[in-house]
């Protein structure tokens, strides 16, 4: 039972970042709902994650649809290591952005100790032996992670007011809204993968910039990389606790929440129309 619980917890932990864009609204709602309703939301998420396992356990006939174990699993396991490696590279980049070269070096050292320990444990287990001394590198990694303070996060480079792009503040948003200026609010962070993808495929595109310039749209960028309290309060006031978070304010003052997955066409449509789309 302990192994089964651990496997389920690991599956939920690994799957959460991938499913984050689809659960953002549900999690945001759970924070502002009464406790029974919030627990119902989390229970629904848990049942959804566990449903495939439950179906296979209670409907044994479905197990015949699963591929049979074989040598292909080794190849598949190695293929799955590729996205995990890319994830590790992305996390290292974020750590470097936040803590500099010294913090990145310490983080890589801790990760290397952990990886060595996991490899050693797996090697012993394949021979039918207990973890034993193979757990020492993992324990050392945990002690280092707890005992060593990473360098303080470097101060995020202030977002310059370039053209129609300005740093976010609630005061500035209220001023632009009162002046009848269309505004696009972009809440982002270096560690937010969806934010970075949206930036490249939708926000920072020539056609989007042209549409924004034509309609006089001002973009307010909120950088939440290091947990800006002002942005945290703003998100909480909107019933949200996560990013990406996008708002579009029309010249008439109407505030529209945009989806977490953006397209250039959606932003162009918002800029061109003062009416709800």
């Amino acid at each position: 039972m302990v192994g089964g619980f651990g496997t389920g917890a690991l599956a939920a932990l690994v799957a959460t970042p991938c499913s984050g864009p689809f659960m953002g609204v549900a999690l945001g709602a759970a924070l502002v709902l009464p406790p029974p309703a919030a627990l119902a939301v989390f229970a629904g998420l848990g049942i959804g994650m566990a449903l495939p396992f439950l179906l296979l356990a209670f409907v044994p006939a479905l197990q015949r649809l699963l591929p049979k174990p074989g040598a292909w699993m080794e190849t598949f396991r190695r293929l799955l290591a590729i996205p995990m490696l890319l994830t590790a590279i992305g996390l290292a980049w974020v750590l470097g952005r936040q803590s500099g070269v010294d913090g990145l070096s310490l983080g890589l050292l801790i990760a290397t100790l952990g990886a060595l320990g996991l490899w050693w444990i797996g090697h012993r287990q394949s021979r039918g032996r207990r973890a034993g001394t193979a757990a020492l590198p993992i324990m050392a990694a945990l002690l280092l992670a707890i005992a060593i303070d990473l360098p303080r996060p470097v101060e995020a480079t202030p977002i310059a007011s370039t053209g129609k792009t300005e740093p976010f503040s609630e005061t500035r948003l209220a001023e632009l809204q009162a002046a009848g200026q269309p505004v696009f609010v972009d809440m982002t962070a270096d560690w937010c993968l969806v934010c970075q993808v949206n930036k490249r495929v939708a926000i920072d595109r020539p056609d989007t910039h042209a549409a924004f310039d034509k309609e006089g749209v001002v973009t307010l960028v909120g950088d939440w990389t290091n947990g800006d309290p002002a942005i945290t309060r703003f998100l909480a006031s909107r019933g949200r606790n996560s990013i990406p978070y996008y708002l579009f304010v029309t010249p008439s003052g109407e505030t529209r929440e945009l989806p977490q997955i953006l397209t250039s066409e959606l932003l162009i449509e918002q800029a061109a129309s003062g009416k709800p789309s």
Side-chain angles (χ1 to χ4, degrees):
M1 292 181 66
V2 174
F5 177 83
T7 300
L10 178 62
L13 180 65
V14 172
T16 297
C18 303
S19 54
F22 307 100
M23 297 192 305
V25 175
L27 294 176
L31 291 179
V32 297
L33 290 172
L39 290 175
V41 170
F42 286 109
L45 293 173
I47 291 173
M49 287 185 173
L51 189 58
F53 301 97
L54 293 174
L55 288 175
L56 290 172
F58 288 97
V59 187
L62 294 177
Q63 297 178 20
R64 301 191 190 97
L65 302 177
L66 295 177
K68 295 182 179 180
W72 66 270
M73 296 178 68
E74 286 297 315
T75 302
F76 188 60
R77 178 171 65 89
R78 290 180 172 86
L79 289 175
L80 290 179
I82 296 175
M84 297 298 290
L85 177 60
L86 294 175
T87 300
I89 293 172
L91 293 174
W93 175 75
V94 172
L95 181 61
R97 290 271 296 181
Q98 292 188 289
S99 298
V101 176
D102 292 341
L104 176 59
S105 300
L106 288 172
L108 292 176
L109 173 62
I110 293 171
T112 301
L113 283 174
L116 175 62
L118 292 173
W119 170 83
W120 194 359
I121 290 174
H123 184 67
R124 290 176 65 89
Q125 288 179 339
S126 66
R127 297 185 175 186
R129 302 169 66 181
R130 293 180 178 274
T133 55
L136 290 178
I138 296 179
M139 295 175 62
L142 291 174
L143 288 175
L144 282 174
I146 295 172
I148 296 180
D149 288 332
L150 289 174
R152 290 188 177 276
V154 296
E155 292 295 329
T157 303
I159 301 168
S161 298
T162 306
K164 296 296 181 65
T165 300
E166 304 178 16
F168 171 83
S169 73
E170 290 192 69
T171 302
R172 182 57 176 156
L173 175 60
E175 290 174 353
L176 293 170
Q177 192 171 10
Q181 187 84 25
V183 183
F184 172 61
V185 178
D186 174 14
M187 295 299 183
T188 184
D190 288 344
W191 41 259
C192 174
L193 178 60
V194 178
C195 302
Q196 301 305 320
V197 172
N198 283 335
K199 182 178 179 180
R200 284 160 177 76
V201 305
I203 300 173
D204 283 350
R205 286 178 55 91
D207 48 354
T208 303
H209 287 170
F212 278 18
D213 290 341
K214 179 181 178 181
E215 303 299 333
V217 178
V218 176
T219 299
L220 298 182
V221 180
D223 188 349
W224 206 33
T225 299
N226 294 323
D228 188 332
I231 295 177
T232 302
R233 289 193 298 270
F234 178 76
L235 291 172
S237 71
R238 307 290 302 183
R240 301 294 294 272
N241 71 323
S242 62
I243 55 173
Y245 183 68
Y246 304 107
L247 283 177
F248 192 88
V249 181
T250 66
S252 63
E254 177 193 356
T255 301
R256 306 174 185 167
E257 288 191 358
L258 303 183
Q260 291 186 321
I261 305 298
L262 296 179
T263 64
S264 181
E265 291 76 13
L266 173 64
L267 295 178
I268 292 172
E269 179 186 356
Q270 294 293 326
S273 173
K275 301 178 180 178
S277 58

